Amino acid sequence: MSITSREIRLKSRPVGLPTADNFELASVTVPAPGPGEVQVKNLWMTVDPYMRGRMMDRESYVPPFQIGEALQGGAVGEVVASNAEGLKVGDLVSTMFGWREAFNAPAGAVQKLDTHGLPPQAFLGVAGMPGLTAYVGLIKIAALKPGDVVFVSAAAGAVGSVVCQIAKLKGHTVIGSAGGADKVAFLKQIGVDHVIDYKAEKDLTAALQRAAPQGIDVYFENVGGEHLEAALNVAKPFARFALCGMISQYNATEAPKGPSNIILAVGKSLKLEGFIVSNHFDMAPAYLKELSGWIQSGKFHWKETVENGVENAPKAFLKLFSGENMGKMLVKLG
Amino acid sequence: MSITSREIRLKSRPVGLPTADNFELASVTVPAPGPGEVQVKNLWMTVDPYMRGRMMDRESYVPPFQIGEALQGGAVGEVVASNAEGLKVGDLVSTMFGWREAFNAPAGAVQKLDTHGLPPQAFLGVAGMPGLTAYVGLIKIAALKPGDVVFVSAAAGAVGSVVCQIAKLKGHTVIGSAGGADKVAFLKQIGVDHVIDYKAEKDLTAALQRAAPQGIDVYFENVGGEHLEAALNVAKPFARFALCGMISQYNATEAPKGPSNIILAVGKSLKLEGFIVSNHFDMAPAYLKELSGWIQSGKFHWKETVENGVENAPKAFLKLFSGENMGKMLVKLG
């Protein structure tokens, strides 16, 4: 059956902070699925900070979005027509065909989703890429070990809030930085030991020093800039930094200020390591097993910030940079 | 026997680039050695960039030098009187009692030196801390593996020139950066594949890209600043940076400019790791065994830049920052 799908296309490449004008809404007709294909209606799509990088025309670990074409990203949808073996109408599927209401795809490009009783959109958050990112960064890249004091920036975000909870569940002292009273309250609710409201602090290093008088062993980096400098200042010898993202720099129009104290990495024997979750999908089964236990025991919490309708996907995306999201930023399409 | 020793004391803490005024020459009387002590006349002492850090009054991995007291550092000397078992007149010893002509010390504070046919001052350079620093950084921290393209900054220095040669002897493509025609010639002589005269380049990233069109796998960091930015720009995914020092920043009087492109560490999954050689002395036997083979086969070369007399030790030290040394900077005392 042929259906109409609205989608968001990249109209122009953002310079600096993206605006609504960089996006355009369009309608396309999705024909009946061909042989071996399914037709999917999306229920939820995700917007994530990393997508800002794909809006630039540059070589990177994922190819750039193309102007005039629909954007891409994680989505969870429902099969509405199927010519593919093993997939039937009503099946939930996880795909990278976000930013649109519906699409056809070969069976190999969709992943059947067994929700294990979780809401489907959890697979775009705690049980999806952001959750696994938190786990990989903390367990593998930062090589979390007993007694570590853990500092997390953007701690109330989709990745940060999972980092905080994994570290707490594993018995660590956790310091989380976020901006604003609502986020601070959320972090206290999920058991973060010391919450820094960075918007209320003049001197982030001093604030971190008060929270961690003996220093930090692990820094989970989501922000960059002053957060990275503070972490370098307060790091204990042999501390490990998992570099997951630096959202403070994604919209920079000129070369951002680098960490002026990077030399501390020498004297303190620090390790700073960047990572991309897609290189570590082998850790997904271990993460989902642990996560499942935590959720079943009622010890794991998450927040969602939701916009409704594909036409509001750009708005949801822009909120990531104004810090208006708490936990996972999602767009409900179904 | 009581003897006179001249020594260099820290007169004032340098602000910015040190000057001769920060140092003073003094004479002390060294009495006959007490029970269990030896009396040593130094033959050679070393000056190294890391000593600049010890001239600041701050907490670090080594305690700061004290004003009015003799400086310390590596030295090789000869026992001239002994009340210690196992040490006799004429023995060569390696100690941390540099910056002075003679001293008494308990036997436990000196290390008897078997030169294996090398000149004694080699144990302040290729066969000493700088050599081991090169080996540890390259083999352990950067985890050198077959096929790696290696970039070395301050490549003609005491550490850098050993890094270049180890990497060449292990079959790697090596790119070395140094300033000036003499250093370039030396690096070519020791087989460095691509030599960058950074003083003659306007755009270090472009120069490095020409030298390593496919990118670099390992960066041995001695300089910081633009060198670090260029290495980040030209790094291949999963490249490893051994952070040994950042001499361009040691004399900064205000916060130096950090690497504005540090965010590349995320997308390229880079690992930047600082290290201090004293945490890795367990690797010394392996290094000395390999080094011995290389020297015996005539494949290993080194340069020394020598000042004469303890009164010229400050001058030698200052040359490290003007880049006037080629290879190991030494002061001959004997």
Side-chain angles (χ1 to χ4, degrees), chain A residues 7-11 24 65-72:
Chain A
E7 64 184 30
I8 299 292
R9 295 175 180 171
L10 187 64
K11 190 176 172 190
E24 64 184 344
F65 293 131
Q66 295 303 314
I67 289 176
E69 293 186 9
L71 298 165
Q72 296 159 40

Side-chain angles (χ1 to χ4, degrees), chain B residues 193-264:
Chain B
D193 300 280
H194 305 277
V195 183
I196 296 173
D197 182 349
Y198 74 88
K199 290 183 176 172
E201 297 288 348
K202 277 188 188 162
D203 182 341
L204 204 51
T205 292
L208 185 55
Q209 241 149 9
R210 284 194 303 274
Q214 310 301 318
I216 59 168
D217 300 281
V218 164
Y219 173 46
F220 197 104
E221 164 69 304
N222 290 311
V223 171
E226 288 175 16
H227 277 86
L228 179 53
E229 288 192 340
L232 286 163
N233 285 333
V234 183
K236 287 186 205 171
F238 301 102
R240 292 91 60 205
F241 288 20
L243 308 181
C244 173
M246 298 187 184
I247 197 167
S248 71
Q249 312 199 352
Y250 292 173
N251 297 311
T253 50
E254 42 194 74
K257 194 175 156 293
S260 63
N261 56 351
I262 184 75
I263 195 174
L264 292 174

Side-chain angles (χ1 to χ4, degrees), chain B residues 100 102 150 173 181 188 208 250 258 299:
Chain B
R100 71 203 73 191
V150 177
T173 298
K188 286 183 175 166
L208 185 55
Y250 292 173
K299 290 177 182 161

Side-chain angles (χ1 to χ4, degrees), chain A:
Chain A
M1 188 177 81
S2 156
I3 57 175
T4 297
S5 168
R6 293 182 303 158
E7 64 184 30
I8 299 292
R9 295 175 180 171
L10 187 64
K11 190 176 172 190
S12 57
R13 300 200 182 278
V15 177
L17 190 66
T19 68
D21 289 342
N22 298 126
F23 305 91
E24 64 184 344
L25 184 67
S27 278
V28 294
T29 298
V30 180
E37 287 187 340
V38 285
Q39 188 171 79
V40 176
K41 275 195 179 170
N42 276 332
L43 301 171
W44 294 88
M45 60 165 274
T46 178
V47 290
D48 297 286
Y50 83 88
M51 293 171 172
R52 177 64 182 85
R54 294 191 68 185
M55 292 175 188
M56 291 190 272
D57 190 15
R58 59 157 190 200
E59 208 181 328
S60 183
Y61 61 98
V62 279
F65 293 131
Q66 295 303 314
I67 289 176
E69 293 186 9
L71 298 165
Q72 296 159 40
V76 172
E78 189 179 348
V79 173
V80 292
S82 176
N83 287 326
E85 214 173 321
L87 287 165
K88 61 179 192 305
V89 172
D91 280 352
L92 289 177
V93 291
S94 172
T95 77
M96 285 303 287
F97 296 102
W99 297 84
R100 71 203 74 190
E101 293 178 312
F103 59 91
N104 292 339
V110 310
Q111 197 177 359
K112 200 170 159 177
L113 192 60
D114 178 353
T115 62
H116 296 283
L118 290 176
Q121 71 273 25
F123 293 86
L124 301 173
V126 284
M129 289 245 276
L132 183 59
T133 300
Y135 189 75
V136 166
L138 198 56
I139 304 300
K140 186 168 179 182
I141 305 299
L144 189 70
K145 61 179 185 353
D148 281 342
V149 173
V150 177
F151 175 46
V152 187
S153 57
V159 175
S161 60
V162 177
V163 176
C164 289
Q165 292 184 80
I166 295 175
K168 280 311 302 170
L169 286 161
K170 291 184 176 285
H172 294 269
T173 297
V174 176
I175 302 151
S177 169
D182 287 355
K183 292 179 183 175
V184 168
F186 170 50
L187 290 175
K188 287 184 174 166
Q189 180 200 325
I190 61 174
V192 170
D193 299 282
H194 305 277
V195 183
I196 296 173
D197 181 349
Y198 74 89
K199 290 183 177 173
E201 297 288 349
K202 276 187 188 163
D203 182 340
L204 203 51
T205 292
L208 184 55
Q209 242 149 9
R210 284 194 303 274
Q214 311 301 317
I216 59 168
D217 302 281
V218 164
Y219 174 45
F220 197 104
E221 164 71 301
N222 290 311
V223 171
E226 288 176 15
H227 276 86
L228 179 53
E229 288 192 340
L232 286 163
N233 283 333
V234 182
K236 286 186 205 170
F238 301 102
R240 292 91 60 206
F241 288 19
L243 309 180
C244 174
M246 299 186 182
I247 196 168
S248 72
Q249 311 199 355
Y250 293 173
N251 297 310
T253 49
E254 42 194 72
K257 192 174 157 292
S260 63
N261 56 351
I262 184 75
I263 196 176
L264 292 174
V266 177
K268 294 187 186 185
S269 298
L270 306 182
K271 188 173 84 173
L272 287 72
E273 187 170 355
F275 71 104
I276 300 298
V277 66
S278 50
N279 289 318
H280 304 278
F281 281 160
D282 59 313
M283 292 183 75
Y287 171 57
L288 291 175
K289 193 179 163 190
E290 288 212 68
L291 179 68
S292 166
W294 294 326
I295 291 177
Q296 277 166 27
S297 68
K299 289 176 182 162
F300 206 88
H301 306 277
W302 63 90
K303 295 254 187 207
E304 295 167 354
T305 304
V306 178
E307 291 287 334
N308 283 286
V310 73
E311 68 275 19
N312 287 315
K315 186 176 163 192
F317 178 68
L318 299 180
K319 281 189 172 183
L320 295 171
F321 300 102
S322 54
E324 288 176 65
N325 63 306
M326 174 96 78
K328 187 70 199 88
M329 188 77 223
L330 293 166
V331 183
K332 192 170 188 306
L333 301 176

Side-chain angles (χ1 to χ4, degrees), chain B residues 8-321:
Chain B
I8 299 292
R9 296 175 180 171
L10 187 64
K11 189 175 171 190
S12 57
R13 299 199 183 281
V15 177
L17 191 67
T19 68
D21 289 342
N22 297 125
F23 305 91
E24 65 184 345
L25 185 68
S27 277
V28 295
T29 300
V30 179
E37 287 187 341
V38 285
Q39 189 171 78
V40 176
K41 275 196 178 171
N42 277 331
L43 301 172
W44 295 87
M45 60 164 273
T46 177
V47 289
D48 298 286
Y50 83 89
M51 294 171 172
R52 177 66 182 85
R54 293 191 69 185
M55 293 175 187
M56 290 191 273
D57 189 15
R58 60 154 191 202
E59 208 182 326
S60 182
Y61 61 98
V62 280
F65 293 131
Q66 296 302 314
I67 289 175
E69 294 185 8
L71 298 165
Q72 297 158 39
V76 171
E78 189 179 350
V79 174
V80 292
S82 178
N83 287 325
E85 214 172 318
L87 287 165
K88 61 180 194 301
V89 172
D91 281 349
L92 289 178
V93 290
S94 172
T95 78
M96 284 304 287
F97 296 101
W99 296 85
R100 71 203 73 191
E101 293 177 314
F103 59 92
N104 292 340
V110 311
Q111 196 177 359
K112 199 169 160 176
L113 193 60
D114 178 353
T115 61
H116 297 281
L118 290 175
Q121 71 273 25
F123 293 86
L124 300 174
V126 283
M129 290 245 274
L132 183 59
T133 300
Y135 189 75
V136 166
L138 198 55
I139 304 299
K140 186 169 179 182
I141 305 299
L144 189 69
K145 61 179 186 348
D148 280 343
V149 173
V150 177
F151 174 46
V152 187
S153 56
V159 175
S161 60
V162 177
V163 176
C164 290
Q165 291 183 82
I166 295 175
K168 280 312 301 170
L169 286 161
K170 291 185 178 284
H172 295 267
T173 298
V174 176
I175 301 151
S177 169
D182 288 355
K183 292 180 182 175
V184 168
F186 169 50
L187 290 176
K188 286 183 175 166
Q189 181 199 325
I190 61 174
V192 171
D193 300 280
H194 305 277
V195 183
I196 296 173
D197 182 349
Y198 74 88
K199 290 183 176 172
E201 297 288 348
K202 277 188 188 162
D203 182 341
L204 204 51
T205 292
L208 185 55
Q209 241 149 9
R210 284 194 303 274
Q214 310 301 318
I216 59 168
D217 300 281
V218 164
Y219 173 46
F220 197 104
E221 164 69 304
N222 290 311
V223 171
E226 288 175 16
H227 277 86
L228 179 53
E229 288 192 340
L232 286 163
N233 285 333
V234 183
K236 287 186 205 171
F238 301 102
R240 292 91 60 205
F241 288 20
L243 308 181
C244 173
M246 298 187 184
I247 197 167
S248 71
Q249 312 199 352
Y250 292 173
N251 297 311
T253 50
E254 42 194 74
K257 194 175 156 293
S260 63
N261 56 351
I262 184 75
I263 195 174
L264 292 174
V266 178
K268 294 187 186 186
S269 297
L270 307 181
K271 188 172 83 172
L272 287 72
E273 187 169 355
F275 71 104
I276 299 297
V277 67
S278 50
N279 290 318
H280 304 277
F281 281 160
D282 59 313
M283 291 183 74
Y287 171 57
L288 292 174
K289 192 178 164 194
E290 288 211 68
L291 179 68
S292 167
W294 294 325
I295 290 177
Q296 277 166 26
S297 68
K299 290 177 182 161
F300 205 89
H301 306 278
W302 64 91
K303 295 256 186 203
E304 294 168 354
T305 305
V306 178
E307 291 287 333
N308 283 288
V310 73
E311 68 276 18
N312 287 315
K315 186 175 162 192
F317 177 68
L318 299 180
K319 282 189 173 181
L320 294 171
F321 300 102

